[in-house]
Amino acid sequence: EMQKKYIDIAYAKSKRLEKLIEDLFGFTKMNYGRISMNVGKVDIVKLLGQLLEEFYPSFADKDLTYELKSNVPSQVITADGNLLARLFDNLINNAIKYGAEGKKVLVQVLAKDDIVTVSVTNYGYVIPAEELPLIFDKFYRVEQSRSTHTGGTGLGLAITRSSIAMHHGIIKVSSKEGEGTTFTVKIPLSYIPS
């Protein structure tokens, strides 16, 4: 029994280390221009709908509901579909991890002029105002005491910001009691290589 306990601990730590190495490798490749973008046409409304469906077991496990709202039935943009999927995967995953107390995650799409705005809101844990400017820094973790519980590496939001920058977009965050924590991503409809 004791042997199994320590094998389980070693396995969990090795999985965490594997995730950290993968995230660090991805972050390094992004920041030093070693990732080549595979740009094509992506329906961002459809992409977000698919990601939310894939997360259904996680939503159910945390007793969360989710809603996707869009001002258009579909919106095709020029982007790297894999990078977009990874960045929105990270934002939805964080909303699930930190939003369980709020019982709901809201994803909204607003296509206007030549910009598409996507916001991911959870109504759970509120990020302290003094920590908001730091959360996109590599290895920064909100709620240091819960770092093992939530299982993150502190690189997810740094990678997300880099992915958005590669698309010439921006990301912002707001977090207030009663209004929830909202990550807002603005991406041009057409990607123009630098």
Side-chain angles (χ1 to χ4, degrees), residues 26-27 29-30 34-40 42 44 47 51 77 79-91 156 159-168 185 187 191:
F27 179 78
K29 283 201 316 187
M30 238 173 231
R34 301 286 164 87
I35 278 189
S36 56
M37 290 181 69
N38 186 13
V39 176
V42 180
I44 197 158
L47 172 70
L51 286 172
I77 67 171
D80 183 316
N82 289 331
L83 282 180
L84 278 191
R86 182 167 183 185
L87 79 87
F88 288 119
D89 183 282
N90 186 53
L91 292 179
I159 291 170
T160 296
R161 183 174 61 180
S162 294
S163 297
I164 293 164
M166 288 173 74
H167 287 90
H168 305 290
V185 175
I187 301 176
Y191 170 78

Side-chain angles (χ1 to χ4, degrees), residues 49-187:
Q50 287 174 338
L51 286 172
L52 288 166
E53 290 284 326
E54 289 170 15
F55 271 110
Y56 177 78
S58 299
F59 281 110
D61 186 49
K62 297 278 188 179
D63 198 25
L64 275 164
T65 62
Y66 65 86
E67 184 178 5
L68 174 60
K69 287 184 177 178
S70 177
N71 71 328
V72 289
S74 72
Q75 180 60 63
V76 175
I77 67 171
T78 306
D80 183 316
N82 289 331
L83 282 180
L84 278 191
R86 182 167 183 185
L87 79 87
F88 288 119
D89 183 282
N90 186 53
L91 292 179
I92 294 167
N93 190 40
N94 281 354
I96 293 168
K97 279 198 283 192
Y98 296 105
E101 294 164 15
K103 301 296 178 192
K104 180 180 179 182
V105 171
L106 174 63
V107 178
Q108 295 183 90
V109 180
L110 174 64
K112 190 176 177 188
D113 302 323
D114 58 350
I115 299 281
V116 64
T117 303
V118 177
S119 61
V120 179
T121 304
N122 77 73
Y123 300 93
Y125 178 77
V126 174
I127 301 168
E130 65 275 10
E131 296 194 40
L132 286 173
L134 306 171
I135 63 170
F136 295 106
D137 294 348
K138 63 181 181 230
F139 300 120
Y140 188 79
R141 308 260 349 258
V142 174
E143 274 194 303
Q144 301 292 332
S145 63
R146 286 175 55 180
S147 63
T148 305
H149 174 67
T150 54
T153 60
L155 285 168
L157 289 175
I159 291 170
T160 296
R161 183 174 61 180
S162 294
S163 297
I164 293 164
M166 288 173 74
H167 287 90
H168 305 290
I170 59 168
I171 184 169
K172 294 180 179 177
V173 62
S174 66
S175 190
K176 292 179 184 171
E177 198 70 52
E179 295 177 22
T181 297
T182 302
F183 285 88
T184 304
V185 175
K186 291 181 182 282
I187 301 176

